[in-house]
Amino acid sequence: MDYSMAEIRAFNATLKAGNFTRAADLLEVSQPAITAQIRKLESRFSAPLLERLSKGVRATDLGKQLYQITRQYHDLEAAIEVLSNPRLSPGKMTLQVANASSIIFMPLIAEFSRRFPQTTLKIKSVTTSECRALVLNREVDIGLFPLLDESSELSRLAFSSHRLVAVMRPDHPLAEHKVLSVSQLVGEPLIVYKPEACTQQLLEQLFVRNQLRVSGNVVVDGRLDMSEAVSHGLGIGFALQQDIRPDPRLTVIPIAEATEEVVEHVVWMKNRRSLPGIRDFIQLALEQRCGALSEVSEL
């Protein structure tokens, strides 16, 4: 049975847009054209692909399975276009980015925007684990986060690195130290993160290696909340060093046992490497990384 690209394109656009009208706008066709293509596609299956709601549509279980397969079709079209025109610029397109560290990566994102002003950047600020899932699910094009494990589907470019540090108020008794030991933190009120957070996992690993247990009386969702909690005297917080902005209310102190460098990566799906936007973002990150290394070698 032949399935046309137009049918798949209409189906995917409708799921992405949430309703037929926005899907039609997205593909620059009429709404009847979208509904006709989806009706034709659904006629080939024994059950509906979409559930019609008062304010839009959502995929049925069968529709979700189909989408998992067919969302690669857009990449196929783009790859064919690149093959026929290898110097193709990103141009007027949308690049989806999942970012776990705005302080580190926002300069890179800003430079990409300056170089390709016609490209719309959609940035999602999420946790490291969420970044990874979004890239694997093709919900974003680029991930900016520490990729701690190898993946057969993902490629990565090391961009920056830093270590775990303690964050406290300048008037805290331990703030006079240039370096702290994990043992000095035991018994102090600690501000921790939810279990899936990368910083929390690193913190727990650090304590376990030193045969200690980390527990906090305050649990926060992110670095901003941690910084505010510290500044208001709720305890000692933790972060990766470059993720903390200079703030007179905070003192950042290295932890002696935290010797492991955490590498921040630019991450993408291996089979999407040559696509416009993704290709250009990687190239820019490589240029900036090489430039930073050159500056260090000249010091």
Side-chain angles (χ1 to χ4, degrees), residues 88-98 104-123 141-142 144 157 159 266 268 272-288:
L88 189 67
S89 169
K92 191 174 182 180
M93 63 168 290
T94 297
L95 189 73
Q96 306 261 8
V97 179
I104 291 175
F105 288 109
M106 200 56 72
L108 172 63
I109 295 170
E111 179 58 27
F112 181 88
S113 183
R114 282 190 286 270
R115 288 199 187 184
F116 305 101
Q118 287 186 299
T119 300
T120 299
L121 287 165
K122 288 192 175 181
I123 305 167
D141 305 299
I142 293 286
L144 305 171
L157 170 65
F159 188 77
V266 177
W268 63 94
R272 306 186 75 205
R273 169 68 173 82
S274 62
L275 300 182
I278 297 177
R279 173 196 62 195
D280 301 282
F281 197 99
I282 296 167
Q283 180 60 39
L284 176 59
L286 186 59
E287 289 175 15
Q288 291 204 357

Side-chain angles (χ1 to χ4, degrees), residues 2-31:
D2 293 330
Y3 299 89
S4 75
M5 187 73 79
E7 294 168 19
I8 300 302
R9 192 184 295 115
F11 172 72
N12 289 352
T14 301
L15 282 183
K16 185 175 181 180
N19 65 43
F20 298 122
T21 302
R22 288 196 294 267
D25 292 340
L26 187 65
L27 296 182
E28 298 180 341
V29 298
S30 67
Q31 181 177 329

Side-chain angles (χ1 to χ4, degrees), residues 52-110:
R52 277 70 172 174
L53 307 171
S54 58
K55 295 184 179 180
V57 298
R58 66 185 176 195
T60 62
D61 289 341
L62 182 60
K64 290 176 183 177
Q65 294 177 51
L66 180 63
Y67 183 65
Q68 288 291 324
I69 299 169
T70 60
R71 62 186 177 182
Q72 302 179 51
Y73 275 41
H74 175 74
D75 293 347
L76 176 61
E77 290 182 284
I80 293 171
E81 183 69 16
V82 170
L83 189 62
S84 65
N85 186 2
R87 296 185 180 181
L88 189 67
S89 169
K92 191 174 182 180
M93 63 168 290
T94 297
L95 189 73
Q96 306 261 8
V97 179
N99 176 29
S101 180
S102 293
I103 295 177
I104 291 175
F105 288 109
M106 200 56 72
L108 172 63
I109 295 170

Side-chain angles (χ1 to χ4, degrees), residues 161-177:
S161 64
H162 45 175
R163 297 181 184 180
L164 190 69
V165 294
V167 184
M168 62 190 68
R169 283 167 55 114
D171 59 357
H172 193 285
L174 294 177
E176 298 179 357
H177 294 262

